[in-house]
Amino acid sequence: MIPEQLRYTAEHEWIESRDNNVLRIGITSYAQDALGDVVFVQLPEVGSTVQAGDAIGEVESTKSVSDIYAPVTGKIVAGNDKLADAPELINSDPYAAGWMFDMEVDDEGQLDALLDAAAYAKLTE
């Protein structure tokens, strides 16, 4: 399942445009499946400014530890606090309850460089 309305990165993150230049970011179903059972998530610090491509957090699973990357340049404005006590939400509901963080994007034109659903589907074939 690859939701059509989202954008994607080659690092298997999804990006949802919200109001006022805010984006919601999480990892895809493909990524959570490859990771296995998620047991811990380190989210970026709210208020921090990040550059596209920076490693800004981690997802730890029973199989490995993987970095979370900033898909665009901007400021972290919220984190999903529920993941501290229930990191398994990433496995059970990666596109809704398992979201990771919100960020305010500096320039929405950056979204043009991200993958659409069809391009992400080809990447994961």
Side-chain angles (χ1 to χ4, degrees):
M1 176 183 91
I2 300 174
E4 291 286 326
Q5 75 278 14
L6 303 176
R7 303 292 271 183
Y8 299 89
T9 69
E11 291 78 27
H12 307 288
E13 294 164 343
W14 58 261
I15 298 90
E16 176 186 30
S17 292
R18 300 175 74 79
D19 294 333
N20 302 320
N21 291 345
V22 172
L23 306 175
R24 177 155 285 177
I25 291 95
I27 64 170
T28 65
S29 182
Y30 178 91
Q32 68 78 25
D33 188 52
L35 283 169
D37 294 334
V38 175
V39 296
F40 177 76
V41 182
Q42 178 191 346
L43 297 175
E45 187 176 329
V46 172
S48 61
T49 300
V50 298
Q51 299 294 314
D54 285 355
I56 58 171
E58 292 181 341
V59 177
E60 184 177 330
S61 72
T62 53
K63 293 181 183 178
S64 67
V65 176
S66 298
D67 286 330
I68 302 167
Y69 297 95
V72 295
T73 297
K75 180 179 178 180
I76 306 300
V77 295
N80 186 350
D81 295 334
K82 292 180 181 176
L83 297 179
D85 294 325
E88 65 275 6
L89 289 171
I90 291 171
N91 295 115
S92 63
D93 197 3
Y95 296 109
W99 67 276
M100 294 186 174
F101 59 93
D102 289 348
M103 65 185 295
E104 187 174 8
V105 63
D106 286 348
D107 173 11
E108 282 198 335
Q110 295 177 81
L111 298 176
D112 296 338
L114 300 174
L115 304 171
D116 63 14
Y120 184 71
K122 282 189 174 185
L123 179 74
T124 59
E125 286 178 345

